[in-house]
Amino acid sequence: MIHQATEQFRIAAVTPNSFADRLILWQRACGRHSLPWQGTRDPYAIWISEIMLQQTQVSTVIPYYERFMTVFPNVASLAAASLEEVLAMWSGLGYYSRGRNLHRTARILLEQYDGVFPQKALVLQQLPGIGRSTAAAIAAFAFGEYCAILDGNVKRILARYLGVNEYPGEKTAEKYLWELAESLLPVEKDHQTIASYTQALMDLGALVCVRTQPHCQRCPLQADCNAYQSNRTAVLPVPRPRKILPIRETMHLILLDQDRVLLKRRPATGIWGGLWCFPEIAVDQSGVDYCEKNLHMQALKFAELPHLQHMFTHFKLVIRPLLLSVTYQPAHKENSENNTLWLTIEEALQQAIPAPVRKLLLSTRSLLQSCIYE
């Protein structure tokens, strides 16, 4: 149940010149003002940053954002690129559906909107990869639309401030938090005010009202924050109900032919869709037999690399890497249309590859270098 005192806090919070004004004044004095995507009303730049910031820390995003904007500075350049080029720029950032949705949306914008962003959040959220909160952020920053955001940071702020005693991701609590977020918007509806307020919420969640050990002494909302006043900042927001993630195991075959490794493109849908990975087999299969029957080449076991664990939202993947030395094949068959490529390790590192494959490539390079110098 939502904390019984929440309603009285909500009523107090919506008093004009209270919640929103304090946040805006705090942001101007203490917030972030030099991030590379700030200081612009370009909806494209704002869109790219908002998508990259989904489930990813600012420090990680900055170099990716700067490289991405250099290569794809506008909707037209992004739409004209191939998906492989986009995913190569995204490689290592994770949650690759975001990169695929960026590419799809750029083409939709070019084909259906003449490359011009819709100015309303309700329209923006119909585009691939743009949810309600992201659409509101784009509309607020770029066009000054009077609308609320409710990303993870804002859920945490409101859950603490108003003493919400439910997991914020639960549908009833989320619906309630959306109502609260809309009721807390500033009285003034001009572009500068709504943009400053939206940025203030983001900054407060990132700098002060953080997940663990929040900096309550620096918070402009401390005086009437339910969690602070009741000494519950360590337990609010209520965490996601714990469940044991299933474990899946797989074997990745790192096939080495002189100085080249074999990569295969994964299907467009599913885990790591469209990315380049190593051939994958079940852990009880023989890598040598697989090479002979499926890849028409002969190989010998060279080494086993340490197991690699990778967490997904719904399961944990354990990768068993097996390094094989190719002893015979008719010829290198480099055919990206058939979804296979032979590349040097350095070339492979430049492709659209998921983070575990990058780690395995680097481990392979280190192993081979150590063999050379022994």
Side-chain angles (χ1 to χ4, degrees):
M1 296 290 294
I2 296 175
H3 191 270
Q4 61 182 2
T6 295
E7 187 64 19
Q8 71 184 62
F9 274 85
R10 185 188 70 79
I11 294 171
V14 296
T15 303
N17 304 317
S18 176
F19 184 92
D21 283 358
R22 280 182 284 165
L23 280 180
I24 292 171
L25 289 172
W26 173 85
Q27 200 281 329
R28 289 172 181 168
C30 306
R32 299 173 295 188
H33 301 277
S34 59
L35 296 174
W37 47 82
Q38 289 181 308
T40 180
R41 292 187 178 180
D42 176 10
Y44 176 80
I46 295 166
W47 168 52
I48 298 298
S49 68
E50 289 298 322
I51 298 299
M52 286 189 170
L53 287 166
Q54 292 173 356
Q55 298 177 289
T56 308
Q57 293 183 345
V58 168
S59 58
T60 300
V61 165
I62 289 174
Y64 278 92
Y65 174 83
E66 291 175 337
R67 287 193 296 268
F68 198 94
M69 291 297 293
T70 298
V71 177
F72 308 120
N74 49 46
V75 170
S77 60
L78 181 56
S82 67
L83 177 59
E84 184 175 354
E85 290 172 319
V86 174
L87 291 179
M89 292 298 299
W90 200 271
S91 180
L93 196 54
Y95 299 98
Y96 290 90
S97 61
R98 296 182 297 172
R100 291 192 291 272
N101 284 330
L102 280 177
H103 190 243
R104 287 175 58 203
T105 294
R107 294 193 166 182
I108 291 172
L109 288 171
L110 204 63
E111 294 165 4
Q112 299 181 20
Y113 297 90
D114 295 324
V116 179
F117 271 79
Q119 297 190 13
K120 296 297 181 181
L122 283 175
V123 182
L124 285 167
Q125 71 184 73
Q126 305 306 313
L127 296 168
I130 302 181
R132 180 177 175 181
S133 186
T134 300
I138 297 169
F141 286 130
F143 308 116
E145 184 176 0
Y146 189 75
C147 52
I149 65 167
L150 190 69
D151 62 9
N153 280 340
V154 180
K155 287 180 180 178
R156 184 167 60 253
I157 293 168
L158 296 186
R160 283 176 174 159
Y161 183 71
L162 299 163
V164 177
N165 250 3
E166 291 183 18
Y167 167 56
E170 192 274 327
K171 287 185 179 180
T172 302
E174 187 169 31
K175 180 177 181 295
Y176 183 69
L177 288 171
W178 270 114
E179 294 172 356
L180 292 172
E182 290 172 343
S183 72
L184 292 167
L185 286 167
V187 175
E188 296 81 5
K189 298 184 179 181
D190 61 280
H191 190 155
Q192 182 177 354
T193 299
I194 192 63
S196 295
Y197 174 72
T198 302
Q199 187 64 54
L201 283 170
M202 294 178 174
D203 288 355
L204 191 74
L207 302 177
V208 175
C209 195
V210 294
R211 278 192 180 88
T212 58
Q213 298 182 334
H215 308 291
C216 297
Q217 298 304 323
R218 292 157 41 191
C219 181
L221 306 176
Q222 179 207 104
D224 52 357
C225 172
N226 184 296
Y228 180 77
Q229 296 298 332
S230 60
N231 196 30
R232 295 192 302 152
T233 57
V235 297
L236 292 179
V238 174
R240 180 196 301 269
R242 294 193 64 176
K243 62 179 181 179
I244 299 175
L245 293 178
I247 298 174
R248 300 181 189 176
E249 291 190 90
T250 187
M251 183 176 292
H252 282 197
L253 302 180
I254 306 173
L255 297 171
L256 186 66
D257 190 353
Q258 297 182 16
D259 64 338
R260 295 188 173 193
V261 294
L262 179 67
L263 295 182
K264 293 187 68 176
R265 195 203 305 269
R266 294 182 68 90
T269 57
I271 298 299
W272 298 328
L275 302 186
W276 292 94
C277 297
F278 298 113
E280 183 177 351
I281 62 173
V283 293
D284 58 355
Q285 282 185 272
S286 165
V288 172
D289 290 346
Y290 175 87
C291 291
E292 186 171 350
K293 294 176 182 177
N294 297 84
L295 303 177
H296 312 295
M297 63 181 71
Q298 296 177 356
L300 295 174
K301 178 179 176 181
F302 182 78
E304 290 185 10
L305 297 176
H307 293 184
L308 190 64
Q309 294 187 3
H310 188 74
M311 301 299 296
F312 290 97
T313 304
H314 302 296
F315 69 94
K316 178 168 70 173
L317 181 66
V318 177
I319 300 172
R320 298 185 180 185
L322 179 62
L323 186 59
L324 297 168
S325 176
V326 175
T327 58
Y328 170 78
Q329 67 165 317
H332 285 308
K333 295 182 179 180
E334 300 183 19
N335 192 339
S336 58
E337 293 182 359
N338 289 337
N339 299 321
T340 60
L341 282 177
W342 282 98
L343 300 167
T344 66
I345 290 178
E346 299 307 321
E347 291 170 338
L349 288 168
Q350 302 305 312
Q351 303 303 309
I353 55 176
V357 171
R358 181 175 300 277
K359 291 179 182 178
L360 292 177
L361 285 168
L362 294 173
S363 296
T364 301
R365 184 175 67 182
S366 297
L367 177 63
L368 295 176
Q369 290 173 343
S370 66
C371 290
I372 291 173
Y373 293 109
E374 282 183 355

